[in-house]
Amino acid sequence: RADVAMYQAKTSGRGRFTYFSHELNQLAQDRQELEVDLEKAIKDNVLELHYQPQISIEDGKICGVEALARWDHPRLGQISPSKFIPIAEDCGLIEALNQWAIHSACKQMASWKEQKIDIPRVSVNLSLHNFHNINLCELILGELDNFNLAPSCLILELTENVLLDTNPSTIKVLLDIHESGISFSMDDFGTGYSSLSYLQKIPIKELKLDRSFVSDIENDNTSRALSKAILQIGKSLNIKVVAEGIENKEQYGILKSQGYHIAQGYLFSHPLNSTKLETWITNVFPKD
Ligand code: C2E
Ligand code: MG
Ligand code: MG
Ligand code: MG
């Protein structure tokens, strides 16, 4: 919208410019309000994590959950993380948000452990865009320690674009984290910058096939060929590959027959708050 307004403003003479510059002002003001609200939401701990189950294709059991941030804005309602994460990255809130996500996910894992709910691992999305916190490793280890959790409980999901930033200090942080026994998963695999060379620099333990390869896989030969090729990359590297965004049985059947290891998507469950996830688990995997 901003682009359109700008374009129209430029092409339609002086009077119009004033009109559209008001609109741009409004956009800037909305944005600034969101930044202030987001900062407060993180500080007041009103963001929530929802959890989406991940299913081991081999035995059909739940092998983990992915934690996804939710923001119920007092005036605007639910705001998608695809909208507020980039804001956090731009306005210096991403470290606080990362910290909040790791803390909340660890706290939840400890609670499930105590309730004897068998969820072996939690995946947390980590944004390293515009990130400076060189204490990230200590911070994560501190949270694990605090909640008495093994490093193997935690997987950090990174996106390929993150690794365009080959800033040596970022790489060092990632290597330190890995040294401590925490794994990395490459999210949205196949959609980012198409160099695979980062796979040599960063120890990745899992690939996640992006949803865009899955969404039409039952009709599209190219999607099927690409999902197969991506699985092959994972297998050659001896790491697991997750298929995300599975919405129907046909898609699941194809990915299963190709040899995918882990499945995630609306077919199994939407992301749920912790209470609803607990109910889901009890219903789908009743004990005896
Ligand atoms: P992502 O990490 O790739 O997460 C998967 C997204 O796909 C989630 O959207 C999830 O709700 C959605 N999804 C899952 N299964 C299906 C399906 O079967 N069909 C369709 N159409 N969608 C499905 P969501 O929760 O809106 O999150 C969007 C993105 O925001 C995430 O993509 C992730 O990059 C980012 N994000 C979410 N939470 C956090 C967070 O706590 N920290 C950071 N840094 N980023 C986050
Ligand atoms: Mg993810
Ligand atoms: Mg993804
Ligand atoms: Mg994504």
Side-chain angles (χ1 to χ4, degrees), residues 49 52 66-70 80-82 85 89 94 97-98 100-101 124-127 157 159 187-188 208 210-211 244-247 264-267 269 271:
L49 285 179
Q52 188 176 36
E66 177 175 5
L68 295 152
R70 294 291 177 260
S80 161
S82 315
I85 300 294
E89 290 173 341
I94 200 60
L97 203 136
N98 282 339
W100 164 82
V124 176
N125 292 281
L126 206 59
S127 175
E157 293 195 4
T159 54
D187 206 353
D188 305 342
K208 294 187 82 173
D210 189 67
R211 190 170 82 216
E244 65 176 338
I246 302 179
E247 293 185 353
Q264 184 182 346
Y266 295 166
L267 173 63
S269 169

Side-chain angles (χ1 to χ4, degrees), residues 24-41:
L24 288 177
N25 266 339
Q26 187 60 47
L27 282 177
Q29 203 185 323
D30 289 353
R31 163 69 189 229
Q32 208 180 10
E33 269 174 38
L34 271 188
E35 289 178 10
V36 173
D37 294 347
L38 182 58
E39 182 166 15
K40 186 161 159 33

Side-chain angles (χ1 to χ4, degrees), residues 131-189:
F131 136 107
H132 306 286
N133 190 344
I134 46 161
N135 292 323
L136 186 64
C137 183
E138 273 171 52
L139 192 148
I140 296 174
L141 290 178
E143 292 291 352
L144 288 170
D145 194 50
N146 194 14
F147 290 109
N148 225 334
L149 297 170
S152 58
C153 289
L154 185 63
I155 301 201
L156 301 174
E157 293 195 4
L158 308 174
T159 54
E160 290 177 276
N161 296 333
V162 151
L163 303 173
L164 278 181
D165 166 19
T166 40
N167 189 335
S169 72
T170 305
I171 306 269
K172 169 85 167 62
V173 171
L174 296 179
L175 292 177
D176 287 348
I177 293 174
H178 176 254
E179 280 288 291
S180 328
I182 296 155
S183 307
F184 295 113
S185 172
M186 186 52 54
D187 206 353
D188 305 342
F189 189 71

Side-chain angles (χ1 to χ4, degrees), residues 50-54 64-68 264-266 269-272 277:
H50 281 199
Y51 301 88
Q52 188 176 36
Q54 300 181 315
V65 291
E66 177 175 5
L68 295 152
Q264 184 182 346
Y266 295 166
S269 169
H270 280 72
L272 302 171
L277 180 78

Side-chain angles (χ1 to χ4, degrees), residues 127-284:
S127 175
L128 303 187
H129 186 71
N130 286 336
F131 136 107
H132 306 286
N133 190 344
I134 46 161
N135 292 323
L136 186 64
C137 183
E138 273 171 52
L139 192 148
I140 296 174
L141 290 178
E143 292 291 352
L144 288 170
D145 194 50
N146 194 14
F147 290 109
N148 225 334
L149 297 170
S152 58
C153 289
L154 185 63
I155 301 201
L156 301 174
E157 293 195 4
L158 308 174
T159 54
E160 290 177 276
N161 296 333
V162 151
L163 303 173
L164 278 181
D165 166 19
T166 40
N167 189 335
S169 72
T170 305
I171 306 269
K172 169 85 167 62
V173 171
L174 296 179
L175 292 177
D176 287 348
I177 293 174
H178 176 254
E179 280 288 291
S180 328
I182 296 155
S183 307
F184 295 113
S185 172
M186 186 52 54
D187 206 353
D188 305 342
F189 189 71
T191 58
Y193 182 65
S194 60
S195 160
L196 295 176
S197 64
Y198 63 79
L199 291 173
Q200 296 175 313
K201 285 189 215 128
I202 310 289
I204 300 290
K205 233 187 105 183
E206 173 187 279
L207 300 179
K208 294 187 82 173
L209 174 74
D210 189 67
R211 190 170 82 216
S212 59
F213 299 104
V214 175
S215 61
D216 197 28
I217 199 169
E218 64 275 45
N219 305 308
D220 181 36
N221 292 333
T222 308
S223 296
R224 267 201 302 281
L226 290 172
S227 65
K228 209 168 160 185
I230 287 172
L231 176 70
Q232 215 43 60
I233 295 178
K235 282 190 164 169
S236 315
L237 294 169
N238 218 358
I239 60 184
K240 298 219 158 137
V241 191
V242 181
E244 65 176 338
I246 302 179
E247 293 185 353
N248 62 49
K249 287 188 176 149
E250 292 73 43
Q251 295 169 349
Y252 177 65
I254 293 166
L255 292 157
K256 183 176 175 168
S257 72
Q258 287 187 340
Y260 270 78
H261 305 103
I262 297 170
Q264 184 182 346
Y266 295 166
L267 173 63
F268 309 98
S269 169
H270 280 72
L272 302 171
N273 70 27
S274 55
T275 316
K276 287 190 175 147
L277 180 78
E278 289 159 18
T279 309
W280 183 87
I281 291 178
T282 319
N283 290 335
V284 179

